[in-house]
Amino acid sequence: MYDTGSTAFMFVCTMLVLLMTPGLAFFYGGLSRRKNVINTMFMSFMVIGIAGLTWVFVGWSLAYGGGGDNPIIGGFDQVGLAGTVELLLAEAKGVPDGTLYPTVLDIVFQMAFALITAGIVTGSVAGRMRFGAIALFIGIWSVVVYAPLAHMVWGGEESLIGGIIGALDFAGGDVVHISSGLTGLVLCLFLGGRKGFGLKTYRAHNVPFVALGAGLLWFGWFGFNGGSAFAADHIAVLAVLNTVVSSAAGMASWMVVDRLATGKCTLVGACTGLVAGLVVVTPAAGYVEPWAAVVMGAVVSPVCFFAISHLKARLGYDDALDAFGCHGIGGILGGVLTGIFCVPELSPTGIGGLIYTGNAELLADQVLGILVTVAAVLVLDVAIALVVKAVFHGRLRVDGGEEALGLDVAQHGESAYPAYTGLDV
């Protein structure tokens, strides 16, 4: 029989991760301008339909199908979830050794990861990208980038990054955060800055929405990291504990930086620090001690604060809601710190972090894994963006009149606030 505790645990974790995508919609919606809030939230919700279907039809198979001997992709043997019912019936007659819960549950759990990753991308392009263009991009990206990358990291001993290179990624530093953050950066470079970028200050239009979204993300993240242990065991408990303390340290650290930089602690800043703390611990959640998770959370906020407040302005890219500044930068930092703080006894490769072993073997593997991720994502992102741009006759971006009016009305014919007059606020 299945282990009922692990089965129930994975069910709950799956539902928690599915909750994160609507939570992200509120987080991004609150950060956006009031004339674009529907468009911003809709982009997050849109991935449920698009990335969800691509995962069912081909994404799962490319990520986890095949015989496990291809370093880049899984296979095409499970396209359309072929054989799902047969697998369920076979396991009902006799559960294979080591199977703690129905294998099919993994399909939904991993789908939830694909959804939130695609949703993170949309934050960078808020306020200026055509809705059809971002929808097409996400559809292609989910198949061409996300699914193969998931296989390269989590596809077994023969997978390129997780197996051959030996880089560790407990719950998605490479697969989720680096991939989505870099993709957001590529898209915002293709689009150019919003009207008035560099000349005016963009402020969150609904701070309670930001807090609500951050709270839902925080709650869902316990399933995100805890469920990545794939059993109701000691590693899952450690991952949840590390998730709590890293997010706490990230929030506290951001509040200190905010106070030093601006003279005030802001709720938007605190929520951003909370998310940054969650991001940085994701690749390490089941591999490090709680004190190390605190250090990771404390360190990530100043780094992400600098990227968002200074690096973006200095380099001139308009990462509208800071998907790259928070997820890309935070994910890279988390991957590197995993190579420093990983406890040898918790490492699936048996290789511990720098502070335990005195050598940089795991750290080098982590850096190489990140570099491979960055290279693969950047090349594929540019190719997909060029294809989508060609499909839309070179117009990824809305025209100036639509941008000034607001994408809620221009792209969807809706307004979040009926009394809103369309003024540029």
Side-chain angles (χ1 to χ4, degrees):
M1 295 178 64
Y2 297 117
D3 180 86
T4 54
S6 290
T7 300
F9 174 71
M10 289 305 298
F11 260 118
V12 171
C13 287
T14 298
M15 298 305 105
L16 287 174
V17 183
L18 287 170
L19 179 66
M20 292 174 70
T21 300
L24 182 70
F26 277 98
F27 185 70
Y28 275 170
L31 289 172
S32 70
R33 304 171 76 181
R34 63 181 297 170
K35 64 181 181 178
N36 297 322
V37 59
I38 287 176
N39 175 260
T40 302
M41 297 183 76
F42 197 177
M43 286 194 293
S44 293
F45 273 94
M46 167 268 294
V47 304
I48 297 174
I50 294 178
L53 288 177
T54 58
W55 185 255
V56 167
F57 286 118
V58 68
W60 166 261
S61 189
L62 290 178
Y64 301 106
D69 55 352
N70 189 311
I72 306 297
I73 64 170
F76 295 93
D77 56 313
Q78 297 184 47
V79 168
L81 302 187
T84 299
V85 174
E86 289 84 352
L87 178 60
L88 278 171
L89 294 175
E91 288 187 352
K93 294 177 180 178
V95 178
D97 291 340
T99 301
L100 299 179
Y101 56 88
T103 305
V104 174
L105 184 55
D106 276 333
I107 299 172
V108 190
F109 183 68
Q110 296 296 344
M111 176 196 288
F113 275 63
L115 298 183
I116 188 63
T117 306
I120 292 169
V121 172
T122 65
S124 291
V125 303
R128 62 205 190 278
M129 189 167 185
R130 299 176 72 179
F131 188 76
I134 185 63
L136 178 59
F137 182 92
I138 290 298
I140 300 172
W141 187 87
S142 298
V143 174
V144 174
V145 177
Y146 180 83
L149 184 59
H151 178 79
M152 284 190 276
V153 175
W154 295 325
E157 294 182 356
E158 300 301 320
S159 60
L160 177 60
I161 296 173
I164 297 172
I165 293 175
L168 302 181
D169 186 359
F170 186 78
D174 289 284
V175 180
V176 177
H177 299 296
I178 296 177
S179 70
S180 60
L182 279 175
T183 301
L185 176 63
V186 169
L187 283 178
C188 72
L189 290 174
F190 264 86
L191 292 169
R194 288 165 290 177
K195 184 178 180 181
F197 176 68
L199 301 175
K200 62 174 66 173
T201 301
Y202 301 104
R203 296 179 179 175
H205 94 282
N206 192 323
V207 176
F209 265 25
V210 177
L212 173 62
L216 291 172
L217 287 170
W218 186 63
F219 185 59
W221 224 292
F222 301 131
F224 192 89
N225 286 352
S228 293
F230 300 106
D233 61 8
H234 60 295
I235 300 299
V237 174
L238 177 64
V240 170
L241 173 59
N242 285 337
T243 302
V244 174
V245 298
S246 180
S247 60
M251 174 182 279
S253 179
W254 197 290
M255 291 167 63
V256 171
V257 174
D258 220 0
R259 181 70 171 81
L260 293 174
T262 68
K264 294 181 174 64
C265 295
T266 65
L267 180 54
V268 170
C271 290
T272 305
L274 178 78
V275 173
L278 293 167
V279 169
V280 75
V281 80
T282 292
Y287 302 141
V288 301
E289 296 185 73
W291 68 263
V294 171
V295 173
M296 294 174 77
V299 169
V300 72
S301 286
V303 174
C304 289
F305 184 92
F306 175 80
I308 292 170
S309 300
H310 301 285
L311 186 65
K312 180 168 68 170
R314 181 165 297 180
L315 298 182
Y317 61 88
D318 187 8
D319 178 12
L321 305 182
D322 299 307
F324 174 69
C326 186
H327 296 273
I329 297 295
I332 291 171
L333 180 62
V336 172
L337 292 178
T338 301
I340 296 175
F341 294 128
C342 178
V343 178
E345 292 79 8
L346 298 177
S347 172
T349 63
I351 303 173
L354 179 64
I355 66 167
Y356 293 97
T357 64
N359 68 67
E361 182 179 355
L362 179 59
L363 179 59
D365 291 341
Q366 293 298 108
V367 172
L368 180 57
I370 290 169
L371 291 175
V372 171
T373 299
V374 169
V377 170
L378 288 180
V379 170
L380 292 170
D381 281 350
V382 171
I384 298 169
L386 290 173
V387 169
V388 174
K389 187 174 183 179
V391 170
F392 282 84
H393 308 290
R395 294 181 58 232
L396 292 176
R397 182 174 179 150
V398 299
D399 62 38
E402 290 180 307
E403 187 175 349
L405 176 63
L407 272 61
D408 291 358
V409 174
Q411 292 278 294
H412 309 293
E414 296 178 301
S415 174
Y417 309 100
Y420 173 51
T421 62
L423 297 176
D424 186 18
V425 294

